[in-house]
Each structure stands twice: as structure tokens, then as C-alpha cells.
Amino acid sequence: MSHDAPLAPATVTVAAGRPARTQGAAVNPPVVLSSTFVSQGVPAPGELLYGRIDADTWHPFEQVLGELEQSRHPALVFGSGMAAIAAALSLVPPGGRLVLPRHCYQVTLGYAADLSERQGVEVVLVDIDDTDAVLAALPGTSMLWVESPTNPMLEVADLPVLVEAAHAAGALVGVDNTFATPLVQRPLTVGADVVVHSVTKYLAGHSDVVLGAALADDDALHARLHAYRTLHGSIAGPFEVWLALRGLRTLALRVERAQANAAELARRLSAHPAVVAVRHPSLPDDPGYERAARLMDGFGSIIGLRPRGGAAGADAVIAALRLWVPATSLGGVESSLERRRRFATESLTVPEDLLRLSVGIEDVDDLWADLAAALDQL
Ligand SMILES: Cc1ncc(COP(=O)(O)O)c(C=O)c1O
């Protein structure tokens, strides 16, 4: 094997972003607690100056994520996924046109509504899995926003086709890659302009930090995202980024196990008599199956579940569970679930009885026993 061969993503997650291998050096990067750095005279490009502009504890995490997304630039870490999304959506000019999936993270939709109110941005909602409908919405668009699979409906977009058509229409393409992770989908490699993550979810993976990241290949776009972060001060604390890097080291193992668990649970759920519908792109009859199999390196580990008995049935399932955690976030090592329509702000086209399951890395039979017992009582 050549020493120059590109490393597999699972290896990158472990090996990238380490300190130089000098005798006695720490194998992990340090947490540097300093708001300011020694500097006099005219600063050289890239010189560390001040902790809102740049901080060395961010760099290893940004390097690993940049390599995983196969970006020309390191990632830019932000204080939350929403901070990264706000930075990406700042690329839509006042009065511009923003096309978004009608089912996507509800706070992204809320932010788009705010842009519409304050900056006259025309917001157009589409079914992101209906390629013809998206193409029809593109003329005059400043940015097409894609989540795939979508939160919480798990629709899968035909990303390469959408990117090509959006560019032909003069639109930028932003992709929220939180659900897939860069191990499963790398939107920049099919031409997306900006990729964002809620690092809070799979990348950090332990439900103990709130963080975000944004990436762009293009020099000018990368510079604008960086400038947004500095101007808005939407930065991350050094401890949080260090924790996220520690979590990121096991991403490949966690994603592999969680995806295997999710596919097995989706299969078993499909056969349970108290289940009205299951969505997981791994199921051969799922509307997203063909695209996910063609475009992604896995099927993700979020399941959409509609149990018998409507919203009350769904709430009864949550109440009966002992192992699964009722919680709003996702992507942690622990399995969790939520009925999304408990929020008045969730899209009304999301079924009232839809449970969004975030499958973790526990033993699959323990997860199934808990879920099956909760469904059996319906
Ligand atoms: C798909 C998706 N994108 C973005 C976000 C926002 O990220 P954060 O909560 O880190 O701000 C979330 C949070 O739930 C999400 O599910």
C-alpha cells in the first residue's frame, strides 16, 4: 500500500487533526483557554489574534470535518447548528428567493419566515422528493435549501439532479447534512455550495454539547461564512469543540451500529400489528429506498413510525417505554424518540401521530423488546 493512498473516512475520523508526532507530544490536541494571543505590528494572514476570530482549539475538529466532507477548506465551527444555518442563509440577498423543503427542521423554516418578514425574502416551500416540483420552483431562485433525508419525514432528494438544475437557474445550493453525516453523503462532492451540520447530533454524538458547522469549497463563499461568524460572534467555546472532536473519533463505529440497528428495527416494526406505517429508507418499499441506495453510503438511523391509535396512541407508546428516552434531540448514542406534532410550530403536513425515532447503539434486541412491549399495549 502506498503511503500516499487516500485514507478511508473511518480512518480520517480517528487519525486526522492530531498534534505533530514529536517525542513526548500529547496524542490529543489541547484545550487552549485564551481569549487573546500575543501579537504586535501588522498581523500575518492566518495569525491567531482574538478568540472570536479564530481559536486553535477549533482547528483539529474543523480539519477532520473538512476532510470528511472532502472540502477544499476546513469546516467552520459555529456555536450551534442554527448559527451555521443562519450563516448559510445570509447568502440569500434581501428580496431574494429561497426554496426550502416543506418538511425540514422546523427552526430552519422559522428562520426562513423571519427572513421573509424582515428582509423581504420570498420563501417557497416544495416537496424535496418531488424533483419536477423543485425544478419548477427554481427560476429566479437565489438559494435552494436541501435536507436529505428530511427531518422528520425522511424524504430523500435527488441531490445531483437538483444541484445541476439549481446552478443552471443561477441559484446556490445549501445542504443540511445532519441526518446523513459525511460518512453517508458528501454534498460538496456533487456540487453543493454550502453544507451545514448540527454537530450537536451525530458528529458529537453523546447529547452533551450544542454546536454547529458550515463548509464551502468556493474561496469567496468560505470567506463570507467566516466573516459572518466573526461579525455575529456566533462562535463555539473551546471545551465544546474539544468534546465534539472526542465524539467525532468514534463516528464511524457509531454510525455503522446505529444504522444496522435502525434497519433491523424498521424491518421488525413493518411486521408489527400495532404499526400503521414505518418510514426508513432501508425498507425496499420505502419511497426513498431507490434514491438512498443509489446516492448514499447507508440509510441513516432515524425512523418515522406511526402507531395505531393516532396522537394518543403515539403518546401512549412514549409513556410505556423504559429504555428509549423521550427527548427532542437526536443522533446520540442513546435511542430517543419524539412525537413532533407536540410542537404547535411543526408543519401541519407532518402526521399528528408520527414518532421520530433516533436509533442509538444499544443492543438491538433490548431496543426491540422495549418498543414491542410499548406497541403491544395499544
Ligand atoms: C436537521 C437539523 N438541522 C439543524 C438543527 C439545528 O441544530 P442545533 O440544535 O445544533 O442548533 C437540527 C436540530 O434539531 C436538526 O435536526
Side-chain angles (χ1 to χ4, degrees), residues 300-316:
S301 44
I302 304 291
I303 295 176
L305 170 64
R306 299 181 65 189
R308 200 157 63 196
D315 286 340

PDB file of all heavy atoms in Angstrom, residues 300-316:
ATOM      1  N   GLY A 300     -29.026   5.861   7.117  1.00  0.00           N
ATOM      2  CA  GLY A 300     -29.279   6.692   8.285  1.00  0.00           C
ATOM      3  C   GLY A 300     -29.919   5.898   9.410  1.00  0.00           C
ATOM      4  O   GLY A 300     -30.242   4.710   9.257  1.00  0.00           O
ATOM      5  N   SER A 301     -30.106   6.559  10.543  1.00  0.00           N
ATOM      6  CA  SER A 301     -30.630   5.819  11.701  1.00  0.00           C
ATOM      7  C   SER A 301     -31.796   6.551  12.360  1.00  0.00           C
ATOM      8  O   SER A 301     -32.001   6.453  13.554  1.00  0.00           O
ATOM      9  CB  SER A 301     -29.517   5.518  12.692  1.00  0.00           C
ATOM     10  OG  SER A 301     -28.700   6.632  12.896  1.00  0.00           O
ATOM     11  N   ILE A 302     -32.546   7.295  11.551  1.00  0.00           N
ATOM     12  CA  ILE A 302     -33.809   7.885  12.018  1.00  0.00           C
ATOM     13  C   ILE A 302     -34.955   7.098  11.370  1.00  0.00           C
ATOM     14  O   ILE A 302     -34.910   6.816  10.170  1.00  0.00           O
ATOM     15  CB  ILE A 302     -33.929   9.372  11.610  1.00  0.00           C
ATOM     16  CG1 ILE A 302     -32.729  10.180  12.123  1.00  0.00           C
ATOM     17  CG2 ILE A 302     -35.246   9.956  12.103  1.00  0.00           C
ATOM     18  CD1 ILE A 302     -32.661  10.366  13.615  1.00  0.00           C
ATOM     19  N   ILE A 303     -35.934   6.765  12.181  1.00  0.00           N
ATOM     20  CA  ILE A 303     -37.107   6.028  11.686  1.00  0.00           C
ATOM     21  C   ILE A 303     -38.344   6.890  11.930  1.00  0.00           C
ATOM     22  O   ILE A 303     -38.460   7.533  12.982  1.00  0.00           O
ATOM     23  CB  ILE A 303     -37.267   4.689  12.444  1.00  0.00           C
ATOM     24  CG1 ILE A 303     -36.080   3.759  12.143  1.00  0.00           C
ATOM     25  CG2 ILE A 303     -38.586   3.996  12.095  1.00  0.00           C
ATOM     26  CD1 ILE A 303     -36.106   2.459  12.937  1.00  0.00           C
ATOM     27  N   GLY A 304     -39.257   6.902  10.978  1.00  0.00           N
ATOM     28  CA  GLY A 304     -40.566   7.518  11.183  1.00  0.00           C
ATOM     29  C   GLY A 304     -41.573   6.409  11.474  1.00  0.00           C
ATOM     30  O   GLY A 304     -41.669   5.449  10.709  1.00  0.00           O
ATOM     31  N   LEU A 305     -42.296   6.532  12.576  1.00  0.00           N
ATOM     32  CA  LEU A 305     -43.207   5.463  12.999  1.00  0.00           C
ATOM     33  C   LEU A 305     -44.574   6.039  13.324  1.00  0.00           C
ATOM     34  O   LEU A 305     -44.678   6.998  14.111  1.00  0.00           O
ATOM     35  CB  LEU A 305     -42.628   4.775  14.246  1.00  0.00           C
ATOM     36  CG  LEU A 305     -43.548   3.793  14.980  1.00  0.00           C
ATOM     37  CD1 LEU A 305     -43.891   2.592  14.104  1.00  0.00           C
ATOM     38  CD2 LEU A 305     -42.887   3.326  16.278  1.00  0.00           C
ATOM     39  N   ARG A 306     -45.616   5.474  12.707  1.00  0.00           N
ATOM     40  CA  ARG A 306     -46.993   5.873  13.038  1.00  0.00           C
ATOM     41  C   ARG A 306     -47.687   4.666  13.662  1.00  0.00           C
ATOM     42  O   ARG A 306     -48.049   3.713  12.950  1.00  0.00           O
ATOM     43  CB  ARG A 306     -47.719   6.340  11.784  1.00  0.00           C
ATOM     44  CG  ARG A 306     -47.050   7.555  11.145  1.00  0.00           C
ATOM     45  CD  ARG A 306     -47.781   8.018   9.915  1.00  0.00           C
ATOM     46  NE  ARG A 306     -49.105   8.491  10.237  1.00  0.00           N
ATOM     47  CZ  ARG A 306     -50.038   8.803   9.324  1.00  0.00           C
ATOM     48  NH1 ARG A 306     -49.758   8.677   8.044  1.00  0.00           N
ATOM     49  NH2 ARG A 306     -51.214   9.222   9.700  1.00  0.00           N
ATOM     50  N   PRO A 307     -47.858   4.678  14.981  1.00  0.00           N
ATOM     51  CA  PRO A 307     -48.520   3.547  15.628  1.00  0.00           C
ATOM     52  C   PRO A 307     -50.033   3.678  15.551  1.00  0.00           C
ATOM     53  O   PRO A 307     -50.559   4.743  15.215  1.00  0.00           O
ATOM     54  CB  PRO A 307     -48.041   3.646  17.075  1.00  0.00           C
ATOM     55  CG  PRO A 307     -47.682   5.064  17.279  1.00  0.00           C
ATOM     56  CD  PRO A 307     -47.423   5.690  15.944  1.00  0.00           C
ATOM     57  N   ARG A 308     -50.724   2.605  15.864  1.00  0.00           N
ATOM     58  CA  ARG A 308     -52.184   2.619  15.888  1.00  0.00           C
ATOM     59  C   ARG A 308     -52.664   3.584  16.976  1.00  0.00           C
ATOM     60  O   ARG A 308     -51.979   3.778  17.974  1.00  0.00           O
ATOM     61  CB  ARG A 308     -52.671   1.205  16.211  1.00  0.00           C
ATOM     62  CG  ARG A 308     -54.085   0.934  15.830  1.00  0.00           C
ATOM     63  CD  ARG A 308     -54.340  -0.541  15.655  1.00  0.00           C
ATOM     64  NE  ARG A 308     -54.137  -1.278  16.907  1.00  0.00           N
ATOM     65  CZ  ARG A 308     -53.990  -2.598  16.973  1.00  0.00           C
ATOM     66  NH1 ARG A 308     -53.974  -3.311  15.879  1.00  0.00           N
ATOM     67  NH2 ARG A 308     -53.835  -3.196  18.131  1.00  0.00           N
ATOM     68  N   GLY A 309     -53.828   4.204  16.779  1.00  0.00           N
ATOM     69  CA  GLY A 309     -54.436   4.990  17.856  1.00  0.00           C
ATOM     70  C   GLY A 309     -54.170   6.480  17.783  1.00  0.00           C
ATOM     71  O   GLY A 309     -54.398   7.199  18.760  1.00  0.00           O
ATOM     72  N   GLY A 310     -53.659   6.958  16.644  1.00  0.00           N
ATOM     73  CA  GLY A 310     -53.485   8.400  16.465  1.00  0.00           C
ATOM     74  C   GLY A 310     -52.475   8.989  17.437  1.00  0.00           C
ATOM     75  O   GLY A 310     -51.617   8.283  17.975  1.00  0.00           O
ATOM     76  N   ALA A 311     -52.619  10.309  17.680  1.00  0.00           N
ATOM     77  CA  ALA A 311     -51.656  11.004  18.556  1.00  0.00           C
ATOM     78  C   ALA A 311     -51.666  10.392  19.954  1.00  0.00           C
ATOM     79  O   ALA A 311     -50.616  10.242  20.593  1.00  0.00           O
ATOM     80  CB  ALA A 311     -51.989  12.491  18.618  1.00  0.00           C
ATOM     81  N   ALA A 312     -52.854   9.981  20.419  1.00  0.00           N
ATOM     82  CA  ALA A 312     -52.942   9.396  21.761  1.00  0.00           C
ATOM     83  C   ALA A 312     -52.185   8.071  21.807  1.00  0.00           C
ATOM     84  O   ALA A 312     -51.497   7.764  22.800  1.00  0.00           O
ATOM     85  CB  ALA A 312     -54.401   9.195  22.151  1.00  0.00           C
ATOM     86  N   GLY A 313     -52.312   7.292  20.740  1.00  0.00           N
ATOM     87  CA  GLY A 313     -51.563   6.028  20.662  1.00  0.00           C
ATOM     88  C   GLY A 313     -50.065   6.277  20.689  1.00  0.00           C
ATOM     89  O   GLY A 313     -49.304   5.588  21.380  1.00  0.00           O
ATOM     90  N   ALA A 314     -49.647   7.286  19.934  1.00  0.00           N
ATOM     91  CA  ALA A 314     -48.214   7.615  19.890  1.00  0.00           C
ATOM     92  C   ALA A 314     -47.724   8.057  21.267  1.00  0.00           C
ATOM     93  O   ALA A 314     -46.649   7.631  21.735  1.00  0.00           O
ATOM     94  CB  ALA A 314     -47.959   8.702  18.852  1.00  0.00           C
ATOM     95  N   ASP A 315     -48.529   8.893  21.942  1.00  0.00           N
ATOM     96  CA  ASP A 315     -48.134   9.330  23.289  1.00  0.00           C
ATOM     97  C   ASP A 315     -48.100   8.152  24.264  1.00  0.00           C
ATOM     98  O   ASP A 315     -47.246   8.101  25.163  1.00  0.00           O
ATOM     99  CB  ASP A 315     -49.092  10.414  23.794  1.00  0.00           C
ATOM    100  CG  ASP A 315     -48.849  11.756  23.098  1.00  0.00           C
ATOM    101  OD1 ASP A 315     -47.745  11.944  22.538  1.00  0.00           O
ATOM    102  OD2 ASP A 315     -49.764  12.604  23.107  1.00  0.00           O
ATOM    103  N   ALA A 316     -49.035   7.196  24.062  1.00  0.00           N
ATOM    104  CA  ALA A 316     -49.057   6.024  24.949  1.00  0.00           C
ATOM    105  C   ALA A 316     -47.802   5.170  24.745  1.00  0.00           C
ATOM    106  O   ALA A 316     -47.267   4.593  25.705  1.00  0.00           O
ATOM    107  CB  ALA A 316     -50.317   5.196  24.696  1.00  0.00           C
TER     108      ALA A 316
END
